[in-house]
Amino acid sequence: MDSRIRAYLSGFALLAWINLKHYLLAIWGIRLRLDPDYPNETRFRGDLIVDSVLEYRFYGLFVPWCIVLALVLPYGLTGILAGLWASQTWKRTYFYSTPFRFWTRAYQEAPTKHRNQIRYAEEIGREIERKDKAGIPWDDPEMQQLITTGMSLQEKIVRGGK
Amino acid sequence: MIFLLVALFAILILYSRSVHGGFLFDDHAITDMHFERWERAWKGIIYPDRPARFRYALQTLIVEPRGLTHMGYYWTWKLAGFRPAAWHRVNMALHFANTVLLYLFCRDLYGGAGAGIAAILFAVHPHQVAAVSYISGRASLQTTFFSVAGIYLANFGYPRSLWLLLPCITCAVFAQLSKEDGFLWILGFGLIFLALRFWLGSI
């Protein structure tokens, strides 16, 4: 078989498997961190890019899913489920509260992804600037941690992300 | 009704942290949009007696990917500028609207407390955080809204008159104009809800 067709097929198979894993857990409120063996940005011939799972896809899937759950589960169990899910939702909104938190999580989940490295480094710079303007001293432990992380990330980016 | 109030309260509390979250990632494409062309398109819709403008409006809405979603962005920008809280609140309102539609559909399907519980489960589900908290996730919210509305109207209209299916078709078109997979969602929902109706013995 032509290697290009094989590349497309294996790319789609990988994408389908990652999405299947993710959504089988996501319907129960469990979030899967990106598989560490997954090549975070893989280019095949023809510029097919296998990207990570994006969580806002399949928002509508949960309409019939919640209808079915409310039908089949006893009310007590759905109450417990709603409580657990509400606490998960509360935790996850934390990562959307500032760009720094968003890109910190993105980097922690996929540290080899070039885009995540660059954006996280930018946000570290902005966070240092923001803390400096707020009058936080440079020898503050959190400030020092940010500076150290930023510098090591900068070295990593220069070395090609490894 | 009490269930819907609980769902509304839950959405307001749970998403309060991300309301002032700012523009993230793909959201910056919104801040780079040229809203003047959407203003022209809007005027083409409200003044259809000007053929050239009306053609421009149709072209912009239909040919441009996610035309209806971008029209929504235009109106949010017009009313609130680039204040992130306003953009996030529109997403929260759409999520609540979807919750209400789900409740109405379930009330027809099996009624009682079950409908309210389904609505609350949908409102608080953690997977929805990405679509609701991420401004660019509005396309998913909007397409779901029009898809579920279309199926609800079809469910409401079918026993009464076939003409009531016209709003259903309009919703299907709006769902497609909101996101590329709109028709797939309305087809998928239609099949699932037919299956549920059959299972619950209403067909």
Side-chain angles (χ1 to χ4, degrees):
Chain A
M1 201 188 286
D2 183 33
S3 63
R4 194 168 170 170
I5 296 170
R6 211 176 340 184
Y8 271 102
L9 286 176
S10 66
F12 276 118
L14 178 62
L15 191 62
W17 167 238
I18 286 165
N19 276 277
L20 184 69
K21 265 196 306 185
H22 178 88
Y23 286 104
L24 280 177
L25 292 169
I27 53 174
W28 295 106
I30 301 163
R31 189 170 180 273
L32 182 72
R33 278 182 66 144
L34 288 178
D35 190 332
D37 295 327
Y38 165 53
N40 287 295
E41 195 169 294
T42 305
R43 275 182 191 276
F44 296 91
R45 279 204 193 157
D47 289 326
L48 172 67
I49 300 170
V50 181
D51 206 341
S52 58
V53 172
L54 290 174
E55 294 178 4
Y56 55 82
R57 288 178 189 157
F58 293 113
Y59 166 87
L61 178 73
F62 293 82
V63 168
W65 177 237
C66 291
I67 293 175
V68 166
L69 281 182
L71 264 177
V72 302
L73 295 180
Y75 287 170
L77 193 54
T78 50
I80 293 168
L81 212 53
L84 286 170
W85 285 354
S87 74
Q88 280 302 312
T89 302
W90 175 251
K91 283 180 195 166
R92 288 186 199 183
T93 52
Y94 172 83
F95 297 107
Y96 291 86
S97 55
T98 65
F100 177 69
R101 288 171 185 165
F102 181 83
W103 287 109
T104 301
R105 185 178 82 158
Y107 177 75
Q108 284 167 351
E109 299 219 334
T112 59
K113 192 157 188 157
H114 186 65
R115 176 196 68 200
N116 292 0
Q117 291 170 357
I118 299 288
R119 299 302 287 267
Y120 183 42
E122 285 172 2
E123 290 306 324
I124 287 174
R126 286 192 191 105
E127 188 69 6
I128 290 170
E129 209 178 298
R130 194 189 62 77
K131 283 183 183 293
D132 187 39
K133 278 186 185 161
I136 293 168
W138 285 74
D139 57 0
D140 178 81
E142 272 187 35
M143 190 71 127
Q144 283 296 309
Q145 178 64 41
L146 277 172
I147 293 167
T148 311
T149 308
M151 284 173 68
S152 63
L153 184 56
Q154 198 175 23
E155 278 176 29
K156 194 175 181 179
I157 293 168
V158 165
R159 278 198 319 265
K162 304 269 185 299
Chain B
M1 194 52 92
I2 189 87
F3 291 105
L4 286 178
L5 284 173
V6 169
L8 176 64
F9 187 68
I11 289 170
L12 289 172
I13 297 288
L14 294 175
Y15 290 97
S16 59
R17 282 211 279 205
S18 57
V19 157
H20 300 281
F23 289 85
L24 300 168
F25 197 21
D26 287 344
D27 297 344
H28 294 291
I30 299 171
T31 56
D32 293 337
M33 272 176 73
H34 297 289
F35 287 112
E36 311 80 46
R37 57 189 291 252
W38 291 96
E39 181 129 31
R40 275 180 64 199
W42 176 249
K43 284 185 176 151
I45 295 167
I46 57 174
Y47 300 117
D49 55 320
R50 303 270 192 104
R53 267 192 189 170
F54 186 66
R55 263 200 314 273
Y56 180 82
L58 280 183
Q59 206 174 352
T60 308
L61 266 178
I62 294 168
V63 172
E64 174 98 9
R66 307 188 183 184
L68 205 60
T69 304
H70 291 164
M71 186 60 85
Y73 290 157
Y74 159 69
W75 272 106
T76 312
W77 167 78
K78 198 164 168 72
L79 295 170
F82 286 121
R83 281 177 289 152
W87 291 74
H88 285 293
R89 287 197 178 105
V90 172
N91 276 25
M92 286 163 66
L94 274 169
H95 184 51
F96 181 64
N98 289 332
T99 306
V100 170
L101 277 176
L102 175 64
Y103 172 79
L104 291 174
F105 196 91
C106 290
R107 196 186 56 178
D108 286 352
L109 210 57
Y110 47 75
I117 285 167
I120 289 173
L121 286 177
F122 181 78
V124 305
H125 199 294
H127 184 274
Q128 318 300 46
V129 170
V132 180
S133 298
Y134 184 44
I135 293 168
S136 297
R138 190 182 295 185
S140 301
L141 297 169
Q142 225 169 276
T143 206
T144 302
F145 175 78
F146 287 118
S147 303
V148 179
I151 295 300
Y152 179 70
L153 288 169
N155 180 56
F156 178 79
Y158 164 68
R160 293 166 179 81
S161 163
L162 282 178
W163 287 108
L164 289 171
L165 290 178
L166 276 177
C168 165
I169 294 167
T170 309
C171 284
V173 171
F174 283 0
Q176 180 64 21
L177 291 178
S178 298
K179 202 175 178 192
E180 313 73 65
D181 52 6
F183 279 141
L184 281 178
W185 279 111
I186 204 164
L187 193 67
F189 284 145
L191 290 171
I192 290 168
F193 294 148
L194 270 176
L196 282 169
R197 277 277 189 215
F198 186 74
W199 175 31
L200 294 169
S202 304
I203 293 181

